[in-house]
Amino acid sequence: MKLRNWCWCCFAIAAPTAQALKAGDVVVQGGWFFLSPQESSTPLNTKLAPSLLGSVLGIEQEFSSPGTSLSVNDSSTPALTLSYFLTDHFVIKLEGGVPAEFELSGQGLVRPTGVAGELLSVDLGGVQNNPLATVRQWSPAILAQYCFGDVSARLRPYIGVGVMYTWFDNIELNKSFEQSLKQNFGSVLALATGSGSETFIDSEADSDIAPIFNVGLAMELDDRWSLSASVSYLALETTSNIAITAKDGALLSESRSKLELNPIISSVLLSYRWGDG
């Protein structure tokens, strides 16, 4: 499965602070986001296409695989934001940037029940199978923030909250993992259902709308330029899905796992202000 995504992106509220920053100012920021997922996942749940052979061999149509789990690595990506000061303290911000890329790794053995379970087993934790997939994440966001202190203060802390929409694309499976799925799951299931021998693998991750919470500090450099650093928490979850289909399009199996990603995002951003004064 491919899970490569995520934004980027768009997770942090960084408060631009230049001298005499005030209502009506527009601020552009560029810099870097550092993303550290605090992930957990449910065991993979698999549904198989019904077949006479599967019934004879005692293979359940739906089964869970205890001990299986998925994890995502840390990532970083360039960031770009645009802010508008509604007042001297309240700001509306749009965040975007280069989508972040992630690697999805696995642990545990996927194996159905019954005497033929060994024929359909796939080792998610196998060295040759990891990372299972790479994925790109897109996460545009809109945020509201409040900047403390006087507009002429050199240092201004801020807090913020927002909403981010995340989706994933460009999912690329590990070739060894893909081959293992085809040989150990696909070919057996295709034979059992009379769908031929050729199979195909498709993977995806669900999109999500998630809240962002942020704190940070901005430091004035001169009348136009400032530097800010922030830490954000994103309550993000997704469901990964891997489907095996036959050449005729018949669905042979589908495995799903819910991932709570909940990344902590730190950022360092350089700001430039447009406005009078």
Side-chain angles (χ1 to χ4, degrees):
M1 107 187 231
K2 190 180 183 174
L3 205 81
R4 203 174 166 189
N5 120 260
W6 279 21
C7 162
W8 298 39
C9 241
C10 305
F11 299 158
I13 299 177
T17 300
Q19 188 175 13
L21 207 56
K22 61 187 182 305
D25 283 348
V26 175
V27 178
V28 173
Q29 293 179 304
W32 214 261
F33 287 140
F34 304 90
L35 303 102
S36 179
Q38 311 298 302
E39 84 285 343
S40 64
S41 71
T42 59
L44 265 72
N45 186 75
T46 302
K47 294 182 179 180
L48 305 178
S51 67
L52 178 60
L53 181 60
S55 299
V56 171
L57 296 177
I59 300 175
E60 294 183 3
Q61 258 185 263
E62 182 173 356
F63 62 91
S64 181
S65 299
T68 56
S69 63
L70 301 175
S71 60
V72 180
N73 68 312
D74 294 349
S75 185
S76 61
T77 189
L80 181 65
T81 77
L82 177 66
S83 300
Y84 178 73
F85 276 73
L86 298 173
T87 72
D88 292 345
H89 297 278
F90 286 99
V91 182
I92 292 294
K93 172 174 287 188
L94 299 176
E95 294 192 342
V98 178
E101 296 184 355
F102 295 88
E103 292 182 346
L104 181 72
S105 298
Q107 290 185 337
L109 192 66
V110 178
R111 181 172 59 190
T113 58
V115 295
E118 195 66 37
L119 296 176
L120 296 176
S121 65
V122 174
D123 185 7
L124 296 183
V127 175
Q128 73 281 5
N129 291 334
N130 279 280
L132 303 177
T134 56
V135 62
R136 180 171 59 190
Q137 175 182 310
W138 299 80
S139 302
I142 182 168
L143 308 129
Q145 73 179 37
Y146 181 82
C147 300
F148 297 93
D150 188 83
V151 294
S152 61
R154 180 174 175 78
L155 295 176
R156 295 185 72 186
Y158 55 89
I159 59 173
V161 64
V163 175
M164 179 207 66
Y165 176 63
T166 295
W167 72 93
F168 305 90
D169 70 358
N170 200 26
I171 299 174
E172 296 182 359
L173 291 178
N174 179 316
K175 296 302 181 183
S176 177
F177 176 54
E178 184 175 10
Q179 190 62 27
S180 179
L181 287 173
K182 288 182 176 181
Q183 290 180 347
N184 297 347
F185 254 78
S187 60
V188 178
L189 294 173
L191 177 63
T193 57
S195 301
S197 60
E198 188 174 6
T199 58
F200 302 88
I201 311 296
D202 183 52
S203 59
E204 61 181 16
D206 292 347
S207 58
D208 188 30
I209 296 176
I212 309 168
F213 307 94
N214 173 265
V215 296
L217 180 68
M219 180 178 68
E220 165 207 336
L221 300 177
D222 61 25
D223 287 350
R224 296 291 177 180
W225 294 93
S226 61
L227 186 66
S228 63
S230 72
V231 176
S232 300
Y233 175 77
L234 185 64
L236 176 66
E237 65 179 41
T238 185
T239 297
S240 64
N241 178 66
I242 300 177
I244 303 177
T245 57
K247 187 176 182 180
D248 61 4
L251 180 63
L252 300 176
S253 75
E254 187 175 40
S255 298
R256 300 175 69 85
S257 176
K258 181 179 179 180
L259 281 138
E260 293 189 0
L261 299 170
N262 301 333
I264 294 175
I265 305 107
S266 55
S267 71
V268 177
L269 299 171
L270 183 65
S271 310
Y272 182 80
R273 177 182 69 88
W274 276 275
D276 298 333

